[in-house]
Amino acid sequence: MHENTKEITGIILKAKEKAIKETSREPEPELTKPINWPVDCVVGPGLEGAIACETRIGYVNGSKGWLVYRGYNIFDLCAYGTYEEVSYLLMYGYLPSNTQLTRFKKKLIEYRTAHQTKRLLMGFPIEKMKPMGALRLGTNLMRQEFTDVDRDKYLSNVARIIAADEDSIPMETTPMGEENAIYEFKRQQREDSIKEDLKHATGFESCFHLLSGVASLTGAIARLRCGQMPIEHDPELSFAGNLIYTMTGKKPTPVEERVMDVSLILHADHGMNASTFASMVVASTLSDVYLSVGAGIAALQGPLHGGANERVIEMLKDIGSEENVPAWFEKKRSKKEKIMGFGHRVYKSYDPRARVLSPLAKYMTKENKKSKKLYRIARTLEKEVIKTLGAEKKIFPNVDFYSGIVYASMGIPSDLFTPIFAVSRVAGWTSRVQEYLRKNRIFRPRAMYIGPFDKEFPPIENRGRTKKS
Ligand code: CMC
């Protein structure tokens, strides 16, 4: 381990110590036991409190501020683990041995190239798209590259039309015409080279393909949007190191690589959040894991979810100085506007991820005047918010409050912050989709209909006069 990265471990363990001091250790017994369906629970708007399934993957205790993956607390995973190990843990349920980890990393490297998908992506105006939109597109292209699902349908239809006109071709021998026969032959050849699991696009292999592919595409998108060519990953660097390198074109320092690794671990999974739920809903229809991850990306980009990290940096720049914080905050509070990077549906205490990211942001900005200023504004704002909203409504900083400052200190532009969140969360999305599919039941809640009945259908000329309801 590099000397300076030991300091990072020290920072994490200090955050753990503080968390232990401030929180008690018993889990919530009512939320950590097998379910006897149907289950009684109190459900609020936005499905608050609704129990949708059992899981062994992760646990969030909002009142105490704990985050646990597969039984391990988040602080130990950050202090002693790597993102590759944590992804393996989430997916398989246990930490890998040396041999298992080596094999797993080899697989991730194999999938990292994604040449064909990157080439396809370059056919789109990436520089005019928001990176999250481009990432969603790229995920779809990965699916197409490996499964050919969409292309099958299209070509068969064309071939069917051709076949309908070709009376001269005997139906028994070439039912869909010569073009289709050639296509089918080529498809067969292509399929032979695709791993069994990838063909149906729902298995573990597809999950690993996505884990590496989404990271690789994020690097490519970061470059393409600046008019530069994607760069090849460096086999000497870790998953986290390559993410920084392929996005910025700059080899990360050991500290930057380690801090990015910690951040990826912190974001890898987080209960039934909106994007995880969106992925699971798509998977529950027996769609495929590429489209599930695409749904996760779509949900994550919103400012109430993963999109908040980008907004935090804009907000801190807008505040401008520590002195401006009280007046700025009072104005927002009087207008009842939300402060980005604060509050959480589950955490009604300090988010353990922010406990780690806050001191890391301090550490990373200590040498840089500009980012140090942003950090100082953030700390002052945190104090103001906790003093008022913390006391009144249990609102504390969440994971998005300090992550942007950390990424900005590495020279990463702010519209890539949410894609980095997505890269990490692929581990959680795919693990939970795989777990849910084992006992799958299609998601189908109800809405309470509160509209009218027995309305008469009006002729079109009368409609402007009827009242809207
Ligand atoms: N600033 C000011 N007031 C807030 C905030 C905030 N950031 N968050 C919640 N409140 C208030 C809200 O106004 C409401 O007050 P009242 O009861 O007087 O009307 C109360 O707290 C409950 O808020 P809510 O919006 O009903 O809470 P929710 O559980 O539906 O929403 C949330 C959770 C994260 C969407 C919300 O806290 C929020 O919009 N935060 C800002 C955006 C943000 O930072 N998102 C990142 C979330 S963490 C990363 C992730 O997992 O996605």
Side-chain angles (χ1 to χ4, degrees):
M1 192 187 281
H2 190 277
E3 199 49 40
N4 291 353
T5 66
K6 284 188 190 154
E7 285 186 64
I8 307 296
T9 309
I11 289 171
I12 299 163
L13 292 176
K14 217 165 145 198
K16 175 185 174 185
E17 219 175 278
K18 193 157 184 270
I20 290 175
K21 239 187 245 161
E22 291 175 12
T23 63
S24 67
R25 297 207 58 80
E26 324 76 55
E28 303 155 295
E30 72 287 4
L31 288 174
T32 49
K33 59 178 187 205
I35 301 170
N36 271 328
W37 298 104
V39 67
D40 282 332
C41 52
V42 179
V43 179
L47 292 182
E48 182 173 4
I51 294 168
C53 59
E54 288 175 343
T55 183
R56 291 176 183 279
I57 292 175
Y59 170 64
V60 185
N61 184 320
S63 47
K64 296 188 174 115
W66 297 0
L67 177 57
V68 173
Y69 300 165
R70 300 275 192 190
Y72 299 94
N73 80 60
I74 194 67
F75 299 107
D76 287 347
L77 291 170
C78 287
Y80 308 119
T82 62
Y83 179 70
E84 288 91 326
E85 284 176 287
V86 169
S87 313
Y88 190 101
L89 170 73
L90 287 170
M91 190 60 87
Y92 288 110
Y94 54 89
L95 283 165
S97 67
N98 242 324
T99 322
Q100 286 165 331
L101 186 61
T102 308
R103 227 181 288 144
F104 183 59
K105 282 187 184 170
K106 230 174 114 195
K107 193 187 282 290
L108 294 185
I109 289 171
E110 187 191 321
Y111 286 140
R112 208 181 280 159
T113 46
H115 285 139
Q116 206 180 329
T117 310
K118 284 184 203 158
R119 189 178 56 72
L120 290 171
L121 201 59
M122 284 160 77
F124 292 87
I126 298 302
E127 66 285 0
K128 293 188 185 146
M129 295 173 76
K130 283 262 187 191
M132 283 298 272
L135 197 56
R136 186 144 188 257
L137 166 68
T139 311
N140 229 46
L141 294 173
M142 278 175 72
R143 168 180 183 263
Q144 183 61 14
E145 178 190 336
F146 276 85
T147 67
D148 264 347
V149 183
D150 302 328
R151 191 182 326 182
D152 282 355
K153 260 195 207 147
Y154 175 69
L155 279 185
S156 296
N157 288 345
V158 171
R160 222 168 256 135
I161 294 162
I162 295 166
D165 286 332
E166 290 182 28
D167 296 340
S168 57
I169 301 173
M171 292 300 282
E172 321 73 76
T173 51
T174 48
M176 289 199 225
E178 193 182 351
E179 191 177 324
N180 190 61
I182 293 168
Y183 167 69
E184 282 298 326
F185 175 69
K186 288 201 171 148
R187 189 174 73 115
Q188 195 59 47
Q189 282 185 323
R190 210 170 32 242
E191 284 204 343
D192 287 345
S193 66
I194 294 174
K195 289 199 170 71
E196 191 54 39
D197 223 8
L198 284 173
K199 278 189 205 162
H200 40 80
T202 53
F204 271 39
E205 205 61 35
S206 297
C207 298
F208 304 140
H209 181 222
L210 279 158
L211 201 62
S212 239
V214 172
S216 188
L217 291 180
T218 299
I221 289 163
R223 306 278 297 173
L224 291 172
R225 59 193 281 282
C226 307
Q228 291 167 314
M229 291 297 282
I231 43 176
E232 286 298 320
H233 66 271
D234 177 347
E236 296 300 313
L237 293 172
S238 63
F239 187 98
N242 266 305
L243 183 61
I244 304 175
Y245 175 50
T246 54
M247 282 190 301
T248 62
K250 225 177 65 212
K251 292 269 168 76
T253 63
V255 167
E256 287 171 335
E257 188 173 19
R258 172 86 171 99
V259 169
M260 178 59 83
D261 204 26
V262 170
S263 185
L264 292 177
I265 295 170
L266 289 172
H267 289 82
D269 183 65
H270 204 248
M272 295 290 279
N273 57 85
S275 59
T276 300
F277 189 49
S279 305
M280 290 170 67
V281 169
V282 170
S284 82
T285 68
L286 301 186
S287 180
D288 66 55
V289 73
Y290 293 87
L291 295 182
S292 299
V293 166
I297 292 172
L300 187 70
Q301 86 169 357
L304 296 188
H305 194 5
N309 54 14
E310 189 182 337
R311 305 287 176 101
V312 168
I313 293 289
E314 286 165 18
M315 178 181 82
L316 298 176
K317 285 185 181 159
D318 180 45
I319 297 173
S321 72
E322 281 178 83
E323 296 71 51
N324 292 346
V325 169
W328 181 92
F329 175 60
E330 243 349 279
K331 199 165 144 202
K332 292 276 166 187
R333 204 155 88 95
S334 63
K335 288 200 218 158
K336 290 195 180 298
E337 278 180 36
K338 282 193 171 168
I339 318 293
M340 289 291 125
F342 286 90
H344 201 275
R345 172 63 61 80
V346 182
Y347 291 121
K348 299 302 166 202
S349 57
Y350 210 102
D351 183 332
R353 302 167 299 174
R355 273 189 199 277
V356 174
L357 285 168
S358 168
L360 286 184
K362 183 176 181 187
Y363 182 82
M364 294 299 284
T365 56
K366 66 179 191 268
E367 309 289 349
N368 182 317
K369 224 170 141 194
K370 226 163 109 189
S371 20
K372 196 169 170 179
K373 186 173 169 194
L374 284 187
Y375 173 75
R376 287 249 170 89
I377 298 172
R379 282 293 289 168
T380 314
L381 180 60
E382 175 183 331
K383 283 181 197 144
E384 285 290 325
V385 175
I386 292 184
K387 203 164 62 188
T388 48
L389 295 176
E392 287 161 27
K393 298 182 188 173
K394 298 199 164 116
I395 287 172
F396 298 94
N398 59 47
V399 68
D400 284 330
F401 192 56
Y402 287 106
S403 62
I405 299 179
V406 169
Y407 301 145
S409 76
M410 298 178 189
I412 298 170
S414 58
D415 51 4
L416 292 172
F417 297 171
T418 317
I420 297 173
F421 194 155
V423 167
S424 160
R425 191 53 65 82
V426 172
W429 291 332
T430 52
S431 303
R432 285 185 185 256
V433 158
Q434 288 300 335
E435 182 187 58
Y436 188 75
L437 283 175
R438 267 176 238 144
K439 284 189 181 173
N440 184 53
R441 190 152 194 242
I442 189 166
F443 281 106
R444 183 44 170 108
R446 286 191 69 141
M448 190 71 79
Y449 178 72
I450 53 164
F453 291 95
D454 302 328
K455 289 181 89 176
E456 259 179 48
F457 188 90
I460 195 158
E461 57 277 15
N462 292 349
R463 286 186 205 163
R465 276 177 264 139
T466 50
K467 258 203 199 155
K468 282 192 186 132
S469 60

